[in-house]
C-alpha cells in the first residue's frame, strides 16, 4: 500500500491520477481471529489500529454493519478539547489531545486537526466560579487553560451578542488554546487504512447478530456473513450498545440511547476562527466554522430514548434560538442540512471502558456528547485493555461496576438521569 | 413531531410533555440489598423497539402518563395515567 506524500501527489498529478490504490482491502471474513471488534466507527477502527501498532496483535477483524464512518463518527460536530472538571476525565481527554496532535503524521493521513482554540462562555458569577475551578483542575493536572474576562472575549470574538439586553450576557470564558476540530470522516478512514496496512481485516456490510459464548466466555460472533470465531471480542457500537450487549445476555446497562442532532449552514466567508460553546439553564450550544465555510453547530438531545437516526423539529427551533441568543448575525443564514446520531448516554455522563460479566468480552461505550474527541485515546486504551485483559491506570476508573461501588464519575453533578448529562 | 393522546386533554404535540424515562423500573424496599438498588437506580434495558415510558404533561393537565412507544419508529401505542387511582376515577368513573 502506498505512502502518501507530496511526491506521490506530484507523481499522480503527472500520470492522471491513475496509480492510486485502494486505501484498505475488502477481504472475505476468515473463520477465526484473535480479536473481533464489533463496530467500525472511529473507536472500533482506532482500537484495531492500536492493537496492531502497540501490541503486535494483527489477526484482528473490525465488523461493521454499514459503511465506515456511517455512525456517529461521521455525524458529529467534531469538537476536540480536554477541559473537563474532574481529574480522571481531563487526564484521559488530555491523552487524547496529545495523540490528536501527531495523528496525521502517525497515520500518514490528513485528519485536518485544527487547534484553533475553544472558548467556553459563561454568563453568571456562579458559572464563573465553576469555570475557575475547572481551569485550576486542569492547571493542576498540567494542562494549559485560562480564564478570560469579558473584555478579552470581546477582543477575540467581536461579533457575539454583547449588547445591554443580551439573553445570555457574556461575562467571560474558559479558553483552551490547544482545543479545536478535526475532519471526522478522515479519522475513520485514516485509522482504517493504518489498521489494514498492519493486517487487520475490515469487514463492512457485515452485521453482528449474535455473540457466541461457551462456558461463560465469549468465543466469537454470528454475523450476516456467517460465524466468525474469536479469542476475544470488543464491543464499540456507540448508540447500539444496549442492543448488541443483549446478544451476550447482558440485558441491562447503565446506558440509554438518545439522539442528538447536528446542523450545518450554507458556506460563508471566514466568520468564526474559534470553537464557541455555552451552557446555561435552558440553553446548550456549540459552534464552529468548517474549512468549507459552513457553520457547524448543535445543542441538546431530543430528550427521549430513541434508536431513530433522525431528529425532531422542536429541537431545531431550540437550537436556532440558542444560536440567535449568542450570534445574532446568523439570523439570515440558511440551513443546509441537519441530521441525528444515536448516542450512548451513560448514567453519570462518563464513558465505560471495561471488562464485562462475560469473560473475554470487553465494552467501550457511554460516550455521551463527547466521544469524537476521545477517538484516539479510546482506541489506545481499549486496545490495551483487550490485549492485557486488565484496565491500565488511566482507565481503571471507567469500569462498568463503578456505579455499584459508588464511584460514579458525574462531571456535571446531574445524578443518574442520562438525558441530563 | 411525536403526538401523545393524553387521556385527559386529548392528542397533543410531544413538546407539551417532559420525558420521564423507563416506566418499568420498580424501586425495591428501603432495606433491600445494594444490588437491587443498583439495578433500580442505574440499570436500564434500553430496548430498540417497544418501550414503556413516563411522560409528564407539563404544559397541559400536568398528569404523569405511562406511554408505550417504539424507540425505533417512534410509533405511540397505549397511553394511560401513571397513577392507578387517577386511571380508575377518570377512565372508569364516567
Ligand atoms: C450530532 C452529534 C454531535 C456530536 N458532537 C461531538 C463533538 O463535537 N465532539 C465530540 O467529541 N463528540 C461528539 N459527538 C459524540 C461522538 O460522535 C461519539 O461519541 C463517537 O463518534 C462514538 O464513536 P464510535 O466511533 O464508537 O461511534 P460510531 O461511529 O457510531 O460507530 C459505531 C458503529 O457500530 C456499528 N454497529 C452498530 N451495531 C452493529 C452491529 N450489530 N454489527 C456491526 N456493527 C454495528 C454502527 O453501524 C457504527 O458504524 C457527537 C455525536 C452526535 C450524534
Ligand atoms: Zn393532559
Amino acid at each position: 500500500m502506498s505512502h502518501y506524500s507530496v511526491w506521490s501527489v506530484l507523481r499522480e498529478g503527472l500520470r492522471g491520477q491513475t496509480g492510486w490504490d485502494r486505501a484498505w482491502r475488502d477481504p472475505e471474513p476468515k473463520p477465526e481471529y484473535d480479536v473481533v471488534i464489533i463496530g467500525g466507527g472511529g473507536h472500533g477502527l482506532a482500537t484495531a489500529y492500536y492493537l496492531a501498532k502497540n501490541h503486535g496483535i494483527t489477526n484482528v477483524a473490525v465488523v461493521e454493519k454499514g459503511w465506515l464512518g456511517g455512525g456517529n463518527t461521521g455525524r458529529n460536530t467534531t469538537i476536540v478539547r480536554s477541559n473537563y472538571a474532574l481529574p480522571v476525565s481531563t487526564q484521559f481527554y488530555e491523552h487524547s489531545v496529545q495523540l490528536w496532535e501527531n495523528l496525521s503524521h502517525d497515520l500518514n493521513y490528513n485528519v485536518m486537526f485544527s487547534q484553533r482554540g475553544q472558548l467556553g462562555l459563561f454568563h453568571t458569577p456562579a458559572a464563573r466560579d465553576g469555570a475557575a475551578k475547572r481551569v485550576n483542575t486542569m492547571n493542576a493536572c498540567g494542562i494549559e487553560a485560562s480564564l478570560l474576562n469579558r473584555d478579552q472575549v470581546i477582543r477575540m470574538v467581536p461579533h457575539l451578542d454583547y449588547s445591554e439586553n443580551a439573553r445570555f450576557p457574556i461575562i467571560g470564558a474558559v479558553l483552551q488554546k490547544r482545543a479545536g476540530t478535526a475532519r471526522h470522516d478522515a479519522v475513520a478512514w485514516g485509522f482504517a487504512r493504518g489498521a489494514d496496512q498492519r493486517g487487520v481485516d475490515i469487514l463492512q456490510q457485515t452485521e453482528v447478530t449474535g455473540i457466541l459464548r461457551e462456558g461463560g466466555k465469549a468465543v466469537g460472533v454470528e454475523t450476516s456473513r456467517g460465524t466468525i470465531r474469536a479469542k476475544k471480542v470488543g464491543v464499540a457500537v456507540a448508540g447500539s450498545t444496549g442492543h448488541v450487549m443483549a446478544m451476550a445476555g447482558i440485558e441491562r446497562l447503565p446506558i440509554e440511547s438518545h439522539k442528538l442532532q447536528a446542523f450545518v449552514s450554507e458556506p460563508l466567508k471566514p466568520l468564526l476562527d474559534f470553537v464557541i460553546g455555552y451552557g446555561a439553564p435552558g440553553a446548550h450550544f456549540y459552534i464552529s466554522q468548517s474549512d468549507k465555510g459552513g457553520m457547524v453547530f448543535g445543542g441538546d438531545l431530543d430528550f427521549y430514548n430513541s434508536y431513530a437516526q433522525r431528529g425532531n423539529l422542536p429541537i431545531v427551533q431550540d437550537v436556532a434560538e440558542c444560536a440567535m441568543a449568542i450570534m445574532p448575525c446568523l439570523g439570515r443564514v440558511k440551513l443546509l442540512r441537519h441530521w441525528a446520531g444515536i448516542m450512548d448516554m451513560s448514567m453519570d455522563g462518563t464513558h465505560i471502558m471495561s471488562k464485562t460479566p462475560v469473560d473475554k468480552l470487553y465494552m467501550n461505550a457511554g460516550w455521551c456528547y463527547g466521544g469524537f474527541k476521545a477517538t484516539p485515546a479510546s482506541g489506545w486504551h481499549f486496545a490495551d485493555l483487550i490485549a492485557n485483559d486488565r484496565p491500565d491506570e488511566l482507565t481503571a476508573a471507567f469500569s462498568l461496576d463503578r456505579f455499584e461501588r459508588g464511584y460514579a464519575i458525574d462531571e456535571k453533578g446531574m445524578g443518574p438521569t442520562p438525558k441530563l448529562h | 413531531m411525536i403526538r401523545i393522546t393524553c387521556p385527559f386533554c386529548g392528542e397533543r404535540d410531544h413538546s407539551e410533555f417532559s420525558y420521564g424515562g423507563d416506566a418499568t423500573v420498580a424501586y425495591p424496599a428501603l432495606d433491600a440489598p445494594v444490588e437491587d438498588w443498583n439495578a433500580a437506580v442505574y440499570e436500564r434495558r434500553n430496548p430498540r423497539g417497544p418501550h414503556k415510558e413516563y411522560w409528564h404533561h407539563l404544559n397541559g393537565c400536568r398528569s404523569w402518563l405511562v406511554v408505550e412507544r417504539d424507540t425505533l419508529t417512534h410509533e405511540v401505542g397505549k397511553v394511560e395515567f401513571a397513577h392507578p387511582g387517577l386511571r380508575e376515577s377518570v377512565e372508569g368513573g364516567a
Side-chain angles (χ1 to χ4, degrees):
Chain A
M1 213 107 1
S2 59
H3 184 84
Y4 296 154
S5 69
V6 63
W7 305 117
S8 63
V9 171
L10 280 177
R11 190 188 64 224
E12 292 308 322
L14 291 174
R15 59 182 197 194
Q17 315 291 349
T18 51
W20 298 113
D21 42 30
R22 289 188 72 113
W24 56 87
R25 296 162 300 130
D26 186 21
E28 282 302 310
K30 289 191 234 165
E32 177 160 11
Y33 292 91
D34 290 340
V35 179
V36 161
I37 304 293
I38 311 176
H43 290 217
L45 294 164
T47 305
Y49 175 78
Y50 290 117
L51 274 171
K53 184 173 183 230
N54 294 356
H55 304 280
I57 301 173
T58 56
N59 186 22
V60 175
V62 177
V63 185
E64 165 57 47
K65 73 173 174 183
W67 65 95
L68 300 188
N72 292 350
T73 302
R75 292 167 189 265
N76 74 87
T77 44
T78 78
I79 300 167
V80 175
R81 57 185 179 86
S82 61
N83 48 2
Y84 282 70
L86 297 175
V88 279
S89 302
T90 202
Q91 283 164 342
F92 177 83
Y93 282 101
E94 175 58 17
H95 184 214
S96 209
V97 170
Q98 287 169 8
L99 291 170
W100 277 109
E101 286 175 330
N102 194 39
L103 198 58
S104 293
H105 294 287
D106 187 38
L107 295 176
N108 178 232
Y109 202 97
N110 189 2
V111 300
M112 298 166 78
F113 183 45
S114 152
Q115 291 180 290
R116 59 187 70 178
Q118 191 241 12
L119 287 165
L121 308 175
F122 48 79
H123 315 277
T124 63
R128 178 170 47 206
D129 292 347
K133 176 172 178 288
R134 176 180 299 234
V135 168
N136 291 339
T137 304
M138 290 175 67
N139 291 346
C141 292
I143 306 166
E144 195 267 345
S146 46
L147 201 63
L148 306 185
N149 64 29
R150 179 181 160 91
D151 291 337
Q152 289 169 302
V153 181
I154 292 176
R155 274 201 300 280
M156 289 170 74
V157 194
H159 46 294
L160 301 180
D161 189 352
Y162 301 101
S163 65
E164 289 272 294
N165 52 5
R167 173 68 184 84
F168 298 108
I170 297 163
I171 64 170
V174 176
L175 169 66
Q176 186 179 22
K177 280 193 194 144
R178 288 162 58 244
T181 62
R183 168 83 202 276
H184 45 12
D185 301 314
V187 175
W189 299 334
F191 275 120
R193 175 168 168 273
D196 178 274
Q197 280 176 348
R198 287 169 174 78
V200 172
D201 281 358
I202 293 163
L203 309 172
Q204 296 183 75
Q205 308 289 345
T206 311
E207 179 165 6
V208 170
T209 53
I211 295 178
L212 299 174
R213 281 166 294 151
E214 283 167 13
K217 200 169 109 180
V219 294
V221 291
E222 211 65 74
T223 79
S224 53
R225 288 166 81 187
T227 302
I228 303 173
R229 293 188 65 90
K231 298 197 176 75
K232 295 175 177 179
V233 177
V235 178
V237 295
S240 300
T241 300
H243 185 69
V244 170
M245 293 299 284
M247 296 174 190
I250 299 172
E251 303 265 350
R252 292 162 63 93
L253 286 170
I255 290 178
E256 281 181 5
S257 297
H258 285 259
K259 62 193 151 82
L260 180 66
Q261 304 192 44
F263 305 81
V264 65
S265 78
E266 59 186 330
L268 306 175
K269 293 245 167 102
L271 172 68
L272 186 62
D273 47 8
F274 288 92
V275 179
I276 306 272
Y278 76 98
H284 181 200
F285 185 70
Y286 34 91
I287 188 165
S288 66
Q289 186 167 22
S290 81
D291 293 335
K292 280 192 282 187
M295 305 305 295
V296 179
F297 55 95
D300 271 326
L301 298 172
D302 279 19
F303 283 140
Y304 46 84
N305 286 44
S306 177
Y307 283 84
Q309 288 186 105
R310 61 195 145 78
N312 230 317
L313 286 173
I315 290 293
V316 178
Q317 178 174 354
D318 193 65
V319 172
E321 284 169 2
C322 289
M324 287 302 287
I326 212 80
M327 278 187 85
C329 62
L330 293 179
R332 313 284 297 206
V333 173
K334 293 194 188 77
L335 197 60
L336 198 63
R337 288 183 289 129
H338 68 113
W339 60 89
I342 318 169
M343 301 230 293
D344 33 344
M345 298 298 298
S346 70
M347 278 285 176
D348 59 357
T350 299
H351 58 275
I352 296 160
M353 192 181 289
S354 183
K355 297 172 75 162
T356 69
V358 176
D359 196 21
K360 308 294 183 228
L361 179 72
Y362 307 85
M363 71 178 280
N364 173 337
W367 292 97
C368 301
Y369 288 80
F372 178 70
K373 66 177 75 66
T375 306
S378 168
W380 180 287
H381 294 282
F382 197 42
D384 189 274
L385 170 68
I386 294 171
N388 297 311
D389 197 36
R390 54 101 192 93
D392 60 23
E393 240 170 65
L394 208 54
T395 47
F398 306 123
S399 69
L400 179 58
D401 66 1
R402 67 175 182 262
F403 300 94
E404 191 167 343
R405 291 186 294 114
Y407 287 95
I409 306 171
D410 193 340
E411 174 84 9
K412 293 207 287 178
M414 284 298 187
T417 305
K419 68 171 185 177
L420 298 181
H421 291 294
Chain B
M1 180 81 76
I2 297 173
R3 297 195 131 186
I4 297 171
T5 304
C6 170
F8 193 75
C9 310
E11 190 183 31
R12 299 297 175 92
D13 288 351
H14 86 262
S15 51
E16 283 190 12
F17 299 79
S18 165
Y19 182 64
D22 189 335
T24 63
V25 175
Y27 285 97
L30 278 179
D31 55 357
V34 69
E35 299 79 57
D36 295 1
W37 273 102
N38 177 58
V41 174
Y42 290 117
E43 294 184 343
R44 297 291 175 262
R45 267 201 343 103
N46 189 28
R48 189 176 83 178
H51 191 225
K52 242 186 177 184
E53 55 198 26
Y54 290 119
W55 287 83
H56 184 200
H57 198 184
L58 194 68
N59 297 320
C61 65
R62 301 185 77 90
S63 341
W64 279 93
L65 307 174
V66 175
V67 176
E68 285 176 21
R69 187 182 58 95
D70 189 301
T71 59
L72 191 58
T73 63
H74 294 175
E75 198 180 331
V76 175
K78 197 158 101 194
V79 183
E80 51 185 18
F81 290 115
H83 192 286
L86 200 58
R87 205 180 301 162
E88 273 158 33
S89 60
V90 176
E91 286 167 2

